[in-house]
Amino acid sequence: MAKTENFLVSIVGKDQVGIVSDVTGYLFDVGANIADSSYAVLGEGFEFSAVTTFVDGPATEEISTGLAALGALAGARITVLPFDFDTARAETATISHTVEITGGDRPGLIARISEVLMDYDANIVRMSSKRHVDGEGEAHYRTRFAICAAQDRVQAMEAALYNTAGSLRLECRIETV
């Protein structure tokens, strides 16, 4: 009987063209089926993660060694660990709204907004934050949350988000997906 195993593949390294192609090509070649994945450029680096499923596949050490041999991953930190969770997404992973907060540097912004979301039982499905320095040396930030929120709590949650962003002198935009 075939044995199915799930692994979380996480890679952090210096960004360059071809990373996703090289990594996913290798994973395909060794029999991986990618369930969920994400890739992000973070400064000059990148972060790639994927939940992979193998049927009678290689051991974690073999996957790590094979990935490390890819030229594009020279010096990258590669981790392959068993993934002990179901690969099917729960209902709370369905994106119902996006929240975008923009403005100047406000330490604690992500913590404050995520606390509001938690207070209204909204699950963060994805989050990204980007810093941009304008021509005058002023830092501006854009933080986006893709969330799953219960419809009966959305109106109160929106008011709390607008109030929290306003108290930080930031702009808030909320869209239904």
Side-chain angles (χ1 to χ4, degrees), residues 4-74:
T4 301
E5 294 181 278
N6 297 323
F7 297 104
L8 175 63
V9 176
S10 299
I11 307 169
V12 176
K14 182 161 177 48
D15 184 48
Q16 62 180 303
V17 173
I19 298 285
V20 174
S21 177
D22 287 356
V23 170
T24 58
Y26 170 79
L27 291 172
F28 173 77
D29 289 345
V30 296
N33 184 22
I34 297 176
D36 274 333
S37 64
S38 69
Y39 182 88
V41 172
L42 305 169
E44 290 184 349
F46 76 89
E47 185 274 332
F48 173 89
S49 61
V51 175
T52 59
T53 300
F54 288 89
V55 176
D56 293 329
T60 57
E61 301 80 29
E62 185 179 337
I63 299 166
S64 295
T65 301
L67 287 166
L70 298 175
L73 298 183

Side-chain angles (χ1 to χ4, degrees), residues 89 91-98 123 125-126 145-149 175-177:
R89 289 184 169 212
E91 187 176 312
T92 57
T94 301
I95 298 170
S96 63
H97 296 80
T98 59
N123 189 46
V125 180
R126 292 265 182 207
F145 299 86
I147 64 170
C148 179
E175 291 183 9
T176 302
V177 175

Side-chain angles (χ1 to χ4, degrees), residues 1 33 50 71 76 82 85-86 88 99 108 128 153-154 158 175:
M1 179 170 209
N33 184 22
F85 305 98
D86 194 337
V99 177
S128 66
R153 305 207 62 199
V154 168
E158 286 180 349
E175 291 183 9

Side-chain angles (χ1 to χ4, degrees), residues 120-138:
Y120 291 90
D121 298 319
N123 189 46
I124 298 171
V125 180
R126 292 265 182 207
M127 185 201 80
S128 66
S129 185
K130 182 176 179 178
R131 179 177 181 258
H132 166 72
V133 178
D134 66 19
E136 298 172 9
E138 184 94 16

